[in-house]
Amino acid sequence: MMKKENQFFLLLFFIIILSVPAYWLIRGKPTTQVSIVEGRVLGLPEKSYPTLKIAMEYVRQGKPELAAVLVWDLFTGGSLQRKFDGAATDQFPFRVPLIMFSKAVDRQIINLSYLVTDDEIIPADMTSDIYIIPDKEALIDSPSRLKTDSFEVIDERLKNYQEITSAYPDINFYIYYLETLEFSKFNPLNKHFAQADKGQSFDYFQSNLPNQINLGALSLTGLDDHLVNYYRTDHHWNTRGILEGYNGIYGMLSKNYANIPKKLTPSAMITFPGIEFLGTLARKTLSPIRGDTFTGFEAAFPTCVVRDQGIEGDYDYGDEYLAGDYSTTPYTSHYEYYFGNQTGLLEYDCETTTNRNILIIGDSYTRPLVALIATQYRHTYYIDFRQDKEFTLSNFLKGHHVEDILIAGGPNVVFMDTNYWMLKP
């Protein structure tokens, strides 16, 4: 009897395993390789093994010995197994419904565990460091923890700032810091994490920042302030926060900028109907949370020519959104589409009343600011160091004259990361 049961389970196991390639054959080529729910490109088995294609070509040419060497190297190196495993996982039958089911089970276990507590904030799932505040219908990250070398990293960044300001004394340097909840003393989870940052790293940074650098910040005054300026389902700031940041930067720039062009003022705020924005926090947890409203604005922007790595184009979909041309599919990356992206050095050449130029350095938080700040300059340059790891200020300045340099973003961009965000002189 036991032997028959073992044979049954063994047969079931192989049926499940073989169902994947069978599913590939029956299904044919997927209509899309992009998983909107996961925000990534899926692996496809037919495009995952270029070495095998080369080996088959050797066989057709009558060179089986060369084909055997390629396949043997591929197998022993583990590349084939990794690619097959990735493709099998990405194309597994009913993969997304199974993921949804798994997350639902996670939530039920978490809810059951927290029934006996009075906690107002609970984990959103079992695999991330994201929490949910049910009463606020908001997802938040846990506090960032101070490490033993945290202040050493900040010191390294401070030294870097001192070097660049000394090397370029004729350029005005500005830093605009976005306080995020992970690094704030107002994170409601701080009491549960002994080494929570609680704003200590920024306090240390601003206390030791060289006087030559002008510092501004969009600071939090409490949890409600975070919920006003940032999305409930995404880590980015929303349009209200972005405009608040622009106002702060404008005031900071105007101190060293006589006759700065008039600040851009939105003529209307637009809430896009049909969109329930489910951002990265919602995507990572698949929490059944109400989506954010997604808001943009209309304003009298000057005429600008925009280039990405020298190629002229339209690198955001703001006009399309205002025209009603957008997707309402859940988990669509509306923040990226509406505010824009780029692949390298982004340039705005605008018809303004000034000949002044600026270089802006930052990440996805900074990207929405570029079009706004460009209204105060003739040439605006924007770089994300993650897209150009070889960027140096000296090489840039050989071909581009700027009076101002603005570094804007969260803790990593401003002071906590030395892998990507050190400004090489």
Side-chain angles (χ1 to χ4, degrees), residues 286-352:
L286 295 180
S287 178
I289 193 172
R290 175 175 56 90
D292 285 286
T293 56
F294 194 76
T295 304
F297 61 90
E298 291 181 327
F301 284 92
T303 300
C304 300
V305 175
V306 185
R307 298 182 180 87
D308 179 10
Q309 299 194 81
I311 300 174
E312 184 176 335
D314 184 4
Y315 294 99
D316 67 58
Y317 292 95
D319 290 340
E320 286 80 357
Y321 272 69
L322 291 173
D325 183 12
Y326 51 79
S327 172
T328 57
T329 302
Y331 302 105
T332 297
S333 298
H334 293 291
Y335 181 91
E336 176 186 357
Y337 293 145
Y338 180 77
F339 293 112
N341 56 25
Q342 71 294 315
T343 59
L345 181 67
L346 189 72
E347 304 176 50
Y348 277 68
D349 182 2
C350 297
E351 296 180 3
T352 56

Side-chain angles (χ1 to χ4, degrees), residues 111-140:
N111 291 335
L112 182 63
S113 301
Y114 278 82
L115 278 177
V116 296
T117 73
D118 58 357
D119 291 343
E120 297 178 352
I121 304 174
I122 63 175
D125 66 358
M126 291 186 180
T127 59
S128 70
D129 212 9
I130 299 171
Y131 290 76
I132 185 169
I133 311 176
D135 291 347
K136 304 285 188 180
E137 290 191 276
L139 295 164
I140 64 171

Side-chain angles (χ1 to χ4, degrees), residues 253-266:
L253 294 173
S254 63
K255 294 178 181 178
N256 295 314
Y257 186 172
N259 301 317
I260 184 173
K262 187 178 179 181
K263 182 172 60 177
L264 185 76
T265 302

Side-chain angles (χ1 to χ4, degrees), residues 61-111:
Q61 294 174 5
K63 303 175 182 177
E65 68 284 355
L66 295 179
V69 170
L70 278 178
V71 174
W72 179 254
D73 289 343
L74 185 66
F75 181 79
T76 56
S79 175
L80 177 63
Q81 295 92 320
R82 287 192 296 272
K83 288 183 178 180
F84 182 86
D85 180 68
T89 301
D90 284 354
Q91 300 299 329
F92 198 86
F94 311 111
R95 183 177 56 86
V96 172
L98 288 172
I99 293 172
M100 294 282 195
F101 175 75
S102 175
K103 292 288 188 180
V105 172
D106 276 4
R107 288 192 297 272
Q108 292 303 318
I109 294 172
I110 291 169
N111 291 335

